[in-house]
C-alpha cells in the first residue's frame, strides 16, 4: 500500500519461466505491493508452476499479444494504483517507489530506460534501440505538443485505476506495439502524466521481439504508422488538465 492506496503489479508472461518467480518475490519484498497479478499469455511450459509457488494471482489471456495481455491485466487488477512491469528481470522492483512518488499528482507515470547512467552493462539497449525509442518518443512529443518523452517502449508504467479502465476500453492494438497506443491514448485523454528514469538491467533469456534487429525495426515502423494515423484521428489541440487540487482530478476521464 502507498499512502492509503492499494497497489497492483501486473506482469504479462510468455517466455519468462526462468525469472518470473524472482521478479514476483522482489515486488512483494518492497512492502509496497498488495497484489501481483500474472497474465498467462500462452506462457512456456513450467511458467505456471513457478507462479503458483508464490503469492501472485494468475489469470489467463489466450489471445496472443502484448496488448491483449495488458487489457486483461487492467480489467483484472483490483488495486487503486495499477503498475505494468516485465517478468524478465529487466526492471528493479525498488524503482517502483519512483513511479509511486508522482501517483497523487498524475493519472499516469511512465518509466524511461534511455538514461545512460541507469542502463546496466549487458542490458539490451544498444544504440539502435536506445535512439530508436528516443526518436519515436520525440515524434509523439512534437506532433502532440506534449510533455517531455524519451522512451516509447518502456513497459514500467503506473496508472490510476479509473484511467487504466478507460484505456482498456479504448485499446485496439493486440500486438507488441500496444505500448505506443497506450501512451497515445493517455495523451489524448487529457490525463496528467510524467516520465521518470528507471534502471534497465540485462534480460533473463532472449526477447522474442527486441532481441532480433529486424523484428525490432519492424516494430518501430509499426509504431510510427500508428502514431501518424492516431494524429490524423485525434483532436488538433489536446485538452489540458485542470490545475491540481486533489486526486479527484486524476480520474483519467476526458475533460
Amino acid at each position: 500500500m502507498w499512502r492509503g492506496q492499494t497497489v497492483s503489479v501486473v506482469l504479462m508472461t510468455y517466455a519468462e519461466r526462468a525469472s518470473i518467480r524472482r521478479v514476483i518475490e522482489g515486488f512483494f519484498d518492497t512492502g509496497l505491493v498488495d497484489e501481483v497479478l500474472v497474465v498467462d499469455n500462452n506462457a512456456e511450459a513450467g511458467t505456471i508452476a513457478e507462479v503458483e509457488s508464490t503469492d501472485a494471482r494468475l489469470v489467463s489471456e489466450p489471445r496472443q499479444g502484448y496488448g491483449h495481455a495488458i487489457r486483461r491485466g487492467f480489467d483484472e487488477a483490483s488495486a487503486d494504483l495499477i503498475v505494468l512491469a516485465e517478468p524478465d528481470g529487466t526492471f528493479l522492483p525498488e524503482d517502483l517507489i519512483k513511479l509511486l512518488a508522482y501517483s497523487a499528482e498524475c493519472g499516469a507515470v511512465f518509466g524511461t530506460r534511455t538514461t545512460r547512467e541507469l542502463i546496466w552493462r549487458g542490458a539490451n539497449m544498444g544504440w539502435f534501440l536506445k535512439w530508436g525509442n528516443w526518436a519515436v518518443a520525440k515524434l509523439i512529443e512534437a506532433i502532440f505538443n506534449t510533455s517531455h518523452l524519451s522512451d516509447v517502449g518502456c513497459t514500467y508504467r503506473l496508472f490510476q485505476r479509473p484511467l487504466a479502465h478507460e484505456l482498456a476500453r479504448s485499446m485496439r492494438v493486440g500486438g507488441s506495439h500496444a505500448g505506443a497506443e497506450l501512451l497515445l491514448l493517455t495523451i489524448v485523454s487529457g490525463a496528467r502524466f510524467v516520465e521518470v528514469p528507471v534502471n534497465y538491467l540485462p534480460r533473463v533469456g532472449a526477447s522474442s521481439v527486441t532481441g532480433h534487429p529486424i523484428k525490432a525495426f519492424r516494430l518501430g515502423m509499426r509504431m510510427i504508422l500508428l502514431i501518424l494515423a492516431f494524429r490524423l484521428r485525434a483532436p488538433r489541440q489536446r485538452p489540458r488538465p485542470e490545475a491540481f487540487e486533489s486526486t479527484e482530478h486524476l480520474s483519467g476521464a476526458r475533460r
Side-chain angles (χ1 to χ4, degrees):
M1 182 169 287
W2 172 258
R3 296 181 179 176
Q5 291 191 297
T6 52
V7 179
S8 289
V9 173
V10 178
L11 304 173
M12 297 76 67
T13 184
Y14 174 67
E16 296 83 17
R17 178 186 58 81
S19 57
I20 192 167
R21 179 175 179 177
R22 176 168 58 86
V23 172
I24 293 169
E25 292 173 346
F27 275 109
F28 278 129
D29 286 346
T30 65
L32 300 169
V33 176
D34 299 274
E35 172 188 60
V36 175
L37 177 70
V38 176
V39 181
D40 171 16
N41 197 210
N42 304 306
E44 63 180 324
T47 304
I48 303 307
E50 292 293 316
V51 175
E52 290 178 340
S53 68
T54 71
D55 291 329
R57 181 161 66 93
L58 183 69
V59 297
S60 177
E61 175 48 67
R63 293 176 299 174
Q64 188 65 51
Y66 180 65
H68 295 308
I70 288 175
R71 281 200 296 272
R72 176 54 59 90
F74 279 164
D75 288 338
E76 295 282 350
S78 62
D80 302 311
L81 303 173
I82 302 174
V83 178
L84 301 179
E86 293 283 359
D88 59 9
T90 51
F91 296 122
L92 286 178
E94 293 84 354
D95 274 349
L96 175 61
I97 197 167
K98 297 179 183 179
L99 308 183
L100 291 169
Y102 290 94
S103 62
E105 300 163 327
C106 299
V109 186
F110 302 122
T112 173
R113 307 159 297 170
T114 58
T115 303
R116 182 178 183 274
E117 290 75 12
L118 297 183
I119 301 174
W120 290 37
R121 183 176 301 172
N124 184 28
M125 189 54 71
W127 71 268
F128 178 76
L129 284 178
K130 176 182 176 181
W131 294 109
N133 272 285
W134 180 89
V136 177
K138 289 302 175 186
L139 174 64
I140 295 174
E141 183 181 330
I143 67 176
F144 285 89
N145 188 28
T146 188
S147 301
H148 172 82
L149 293 170
S150 63
D151 188 355
V152 73
C154 184
T155 300
Y156 214 174
R157 296 171 173 177
L158 176 149
F159 300 88
Q160 291 225 0
R161 186 178 181 182
L163 176 58
H165 285 178
E166 178 184 348
L167 297 177
R169 291 193 299 270
S170 302
M171 289 178 69
R172 297 294 180 266
V173 174
S176 299
H177 56 306
E181 183 190 36
L182 201 56
L183 179 56
L184 294 167
L185 289 170
T186 301
I187 291 171
V188 301
S189 76
R192 287 175 171 269
F193 67 90
V194 69
E195 186 183 71
V196 297
V198 295
N199 286 277
Y200 195 55
L201 284 65
R203 189 191 197 279
V204 177
S207 170
S208 60
V209 178
T210 57
H212 302 79
I214 294 177
K215 289 184 178 180
F217 175 78
R218 289 175 178 170
L219 175 59
M221 293 306 299
R222 294 182 75 182
M223 287 183 175
I224 291 172
L225 292 175
L226 174 69
I227 292 163
L228 296 177
F230 214 92
R231 175 68 278 180
L232 293 175
R233 299 195 305 268
R236 295 304 302 174
Q237 181 62 44
R238 181 176 64 90
R240 294 182 179 273
E242 299 174 16
F244 175 74
E245 294 178 2
S246 72
T247 55
E248 293 178 0
H249 291 282
L250 306 178
S251 65
R254 297 181 185 274
R255 295 176 170 82

